[in-house]
Amino acid sequence: MSQKKSERPVRHLLGLSGGKDSSALAIYMRDKVPEMEYFFADTGAELPETLEFIDLLEDYLGKEIVKLNADRDFDFYLKLHNNFLPSPQRRWCTINLKLIPFEDYVGEDEVVSYIAIRADEPSRVGYTPTKSNIQTRFPFREDGLGKDDILCILESSGIGIPKYYNWRSRSGCYFCFFQRQEEWLGLKKNHEALFELARQYEKYDEATGKRYTWNQSGSLDEIVARAEKKANQPQKSNSTKSKKLIDNITHDNDDDFCPICML
């Protein structure tokens, strides 16, 4: 009589974006779920600070953070989309570089995916699985943890927050189309070479007269020109404003970031 094949155990997965919430969740769950698997979908357009932070987190967790998209990056999919940039209405970057690689990584295994949506984000939905073998859990919501708790987890662990939060409010690609204008200016100040690369992606279609820009308010050149014009005008001092952009954002808006990229 042949021995019955044993069933594979349920996998526990936690995806990292390089942002504060998913990083705090990894720290929070490290000892609660020892068998947790960690992964990071590298788009090939990550900030240096993000990659540095992922390495730091990997050392803290004592486990490998599996890197997805080893062979295909943003430029590969940009060519497939006729060099038309992604936008809030056409988020092909999220689909091809985040969602599909994750579901391929899962395969047909039974999986519990841990999502870093906080208790103070009541309207946020986040990732909705398209496969029946993927279940989701929201530990921060379950345990009533909000933004202050998340920052406390990061600080008390000794990890802290990624350095890009000094001038940026989110993780994601250096050219993310959800960036505010001040974040684009922060990119120019902190990573001028990356800003120039993002600028070169923008284009003008002579056949249709349509412009393809990262920001709906105008091209990166126009954003810089407006900022320079404003800088030459008298400004009211605001001594109470924090130098860190993250401290000046009172809540996260579900309409201005991708549900996967910005955890």
Side-chain angles (χ1 to χ4, degrees), residues 145-163:
L145 301 185
K147 183 177 179 179
D148 289 343
D149 300 301
I150 271 59
L151 295 177
C152 183
I153 289 171
L154 292 168
E155 293 299 334
S156 62
S157 70
I159 296 291
I161 61 174
K163 294 176 182 177

Side-chain angles (χ1 to χ4, degrees), residues 8 11-15 36-40 64-69 98-109 111 131 133-134:
R8 295 186 64 177
R11 296 171 65 191
H12 297 263
L13 304 182
L14 197 159
M36 188 76 78
E37 299 177 45
Y38 305 94
F39 67 92
F40 170 66
E64 178 188 9
I65 297 175
V66 177
K67 311 299 192 299
L68 307 184
N69 300 327
K98 300 287 184 175
L99 298 178
I100 293 177
F102 166 65
E103 294 186 350
D104 286 346
Y105 180 59
V106 168
E108 300 304 318
D109 294 338
V111 158
K131 302 176 70 174
N133 56 311
I134 302 176

Side-chain angles (χ1 to χ4, degrees), residues 48-171:
E49 296 96 324
T50 300
L51 299 175
E52 176 185 328
F53 192 74
I54 290 294
D55 289 341
L56 183 66
L57 194 58
E58 187 174 60
D59 289 340
Y60 180 89
L61 296 172
K63 276 189 176 183
E64 178 188 9
I65 297 175
V66 177
K67 311 299 192 299
L68 307 184
N69 300 327
D71 300 321
R72 296 179 178 179
D73 58 10
F74 176 84
D75 286 335
F76 174 86
Y77 289 104
L78 179 63
K79 291 179 181 178
L80 289 184
H81 287 82
N82 297 317
N83 291 316
F84 291 143
L85 298 178
S87 68
Q89 294 75 35
R90 296 182 178 180
R91 305 182 194 180
W92 57 256
C93 52
T94 304
I95 295 171
N96 289 296
L97 292 167
K98 300 287 184 175
L99 298 178
I100 293 177
F102 166 65
E103 294 186 350
D104 286 346
Y105 180 59
V106 168
E108 300 304 318
D109 294 338
E110 293 296 323
V111 158
V112 178
S113 177
Y114 293 78
I115 310 296
I117 294 181
R118 308 188 308 265
D120 56 1
E121 299 177 293
S123 63
R124 189 171 171 194
V125 177
Y127 167 67
T128 301
T130 60
K131 302 176 70 174
S132 60
N133 56 311
I134 302 176
Q135 300 179 30
T136 54
R137 279 194 60 186
F138 304 89
F140 287 154
R141 273 188 178 166
E142 294 169 10
D143 296 343
L145 301 185
K147 183 177 179 179
D148 289 343
D149 300 301
I150 271 59
L151 295 177
C152 183
I153 289 171
L154 292 168
E155 293 299 334
S156 62
S157 70
I159 296 291
I161 61 174
K163 294 176 182 177
Y164 63 72
Y165 277 125
N166 288 326
W167 54 274
R168 207 174 194 237
S169 66
R170 66 202 65 216
S171 59

Side-chain angles (χ1 to χ4, degrees), residues 11-27:
R11 296 171 65 191
H12 297 263
L13 304 182
L14 197 159
L16 294 157
S17 67
K20 67 183 189 310
D21 291 348
S22 63
S23 301
L25 184 60
I27 295 169

Side-chain angles (χ1 to χ4, degrees), residues 159-213:
I159 296 291
I161 61 174
K163 294 176 182 177
Y164 63 72
Y165 277 125
N166 288 326
W167 54 274
R168 207 174 194 237
S169 66
R170 66 202 65 216
S171 59
C173 300
Y174 68 83
F175 46 53
C176 180
F177 45 78
F178 279 121
Q179 289 183 99
R180 297 171 175 84
Q181 293 188 52
E182 61 264 37
E183 293 175 283
W184 281 111
L185 297 174
L187 178 66
K188 187 175 190 301
K189 180 179 179 181
N190 290 275
H191 297 289
E192 190 168 0
L194 293 181
F195 181 88
E196 181 60 26
L197 287 175
R199 179 178 169 275
Q200 291 176 14
Y201 278 115
E202 296 185 321
K203 70 175 185 176
Y204 173 74
D205 190 332
E206 294 183 357
T208 63
K210 188 172 182 178
R211 296 194 307 167
Y212 294 90
T213 62

